[in-house]
Amino acid sequence: VPWQVQKHVLDFFFFFSLGCGTLLILDQNESGLRLFRSFDWNDGLFDVTWSENNEHVLVTCSGDGSLQLWDTAKAAGPLQVYKEHTQEWDPTVGKSLCTFRGHESVIYSTIWSPHIPGCFASASGDQTLRIWDVKSTGVRIVVPAHQAEILSCDWCKYNENLLVTGAVDCSLRGWDLRNIRQPVFELLGHTYAIRRVKFSPFHASVLASCSYDFTVRFWNFSKPDPLLETVEHHTEFTCGLDLSLQSPTQVADCAWDETIKIYDPVCLTMPA
């Protein structure tokens, strides 16, 4: 991501706008945030992610069912548009490589395994977490993770068998792929649907979640009292969340109140 590669020059964070189709690239410096560049699309943009191979390239997905490939070094864009939103694709090929079918409802979240090449997980409104392998278009593992729509999932960076899900039932559940009969942990405290969950890149048992209850919560699932901190600095649904890969304490989140917060929660700045 750009803030890793260019820390000495610029700290970049992103914000995607639901409905208005605007992608904003923000520059963080000592005086705060400034707008570095903006891109417009003709439909709402619902998610965005940076390339790990090129510090200037990112991809968005849109309400019109397409993917857009952008280059922050170029004022105009997008570089390419892919109209196969539900399928895996390669920027050098220009079309999808394969299609994965099996979910019975909308797919809200996918995440590549940081450990197993070609393996990824998906979370769906059909109440399941599914594990896939690009070498086979069939599903490898189906986890009936919640009795509610699952809106987010993430893969632990320290354990190849551990994933976490966040759902409309307000719970977070951890899953060991070697035994999926019961969750290895359940975290309760949110009062509305959990929109995004992220494992810490620096702490093996720490994760963060954001919810439509306007809060961001930090957890250590290895502790008897797992809730570390609750952050309440938004006035609308909190829908986006990420933990910096550069700084062990820095967090960015965003909400329907049209604000982005970049901060260091107390629980991540204290000694372990």
Side-chain angles (χ1 to χ4, degrees):
V1 292
W3 60 86
Q4 288 180 282
V5 178
Q6 302 182 10
K7 184 66 176 178
H8 60 294
V9 179
L10 292 174
D11 284 337
F12 281 110
F13 286 89
F14 62 76
F15 175 67
F16 55 91
S17 177
L18 298 179
C20 67
T22 302
L23 174 70
L24 304 180
I25 311 298
L26 305 179
D27 163 25
Q28 184 194 27
N29 53 38
E30 293 181 356
S31 61
L33 291 174
R34 71 175 180 89
L35 179 63
F36 174 76
R37 183 153 288 154
S38 67
F39 299 101
D40 293 324
W41 188 245
N42 56 14
D43 207 321
L45 300 177
F46 292 99
D47 210 347
V48 60
T49 188
W50 289 103
S51 167
E52 295 188 6
N53 298 318
N54 188 317
E55 65 197 57
H56 300 292
V57 172
L58 49 82
V59 179
T60 53
C61 65
S62 171
D64 62 11
S66 65
L67 295 171
Q68 302 78 35
L69 189 71
W70 309 89
D71 188 338
T72 62
K74 301 180 185 298
L79 296 177
Q80 295 189 55
V81 177
Y82 303 90
K83 297 184 177 180
E84 297 179 88
H85 185 222
T86 60
Q87 301 183 20
E88 183 60 25
W89 55 274
D90 183 338
T92 63
V93 175
K95 62 181 181 180
S96 64
L97 300 178
C98 47
T99 302
F100 301 89
R101 303 187 186 279
H103 279 297
E104 299 173 359
S105 185
V106 59
I107 300 166
Y108 287 105
S109 177
T110 59
I111 184 73
W112 285 106
S113 167
H115 311 279
I116 308 167
C119 185
F120 68 96
S122 58
S124 170
D126 66 11
Q127 306 180 5
T128 68
L129 171 73
R130 300 186 183 221
I131 310 300
W132 311 80
D133 191 324
V134 296
K135 293 186 290 292
S136 170
T137 55
V139 64
R140 288 181 54 189
I141 301 173
V142 179
V143 184
H146 295 261
Q147 292 183 319
E149 289 191 296
I150 306 170
L151 304 184
S152 185
C153 65
D154 197 25
W155 215 303
C156 180
K157 297 163 182 63
Y158 294 86
N159 185 337
E160 68 178 29
N161 294 302
L162 183 62
L163 291 96
V164 64
T165 53
V168 171
D169 62 10
C170 309
S171 73
L172 295 156
R173 291 180 178 176
W175 300 96
D176 187 325
L177 297 181
R178 295 165 297 187
N179 184 352
I180 61 172
R181 288 177 296 177
Q182 296 290 333
V184 292
F185 64 79
E186 184 174 41
L187 306 174
L188 303 175
H190 282 295
T191 56
Y192 283 93
I194 296 165
R195 191 63 188 88
R196 187 68 54 97
V197 58
K198 297 291 291 186
F199 275 109
S200 168
F202 295 94
H203 307 282
S205 59
V206 171
L207 57 86
S209 57
C210 72
S211 166
Y212 290 154
D213 65 11
F214 305 178
T215 71
V216 177
R217 299 182 189 231
F218 296 89
W219 314 81
N220 186 330
F221 59 83
S222 69
K223 293 182 177 296
D225 186 9
L227 182 60
L228 300 176
E229 185 175 347
T230 301
V231 176
E232 301 179 78
H233 55 199
H234 287 290
T235 59
E236 286 288 349
F237 295 157
T238 308
C239 56
L241 170 70
D242 207 359
L243 281 69
S244 172
L245 298 176
Q246 174 73 19
S247 166
T249 64
Q250 196 166 61
V251 177
D253 61 46
C254 62
W256 283 25
D257 59 15
E258 303 179 359
T259 66
I260 304 161
K261 308 288 188 180
I262 300 169
Y263 57 102
D264 297 274
V266 174
C267 66
L268 299 186
T269 61
M270 298 185 302

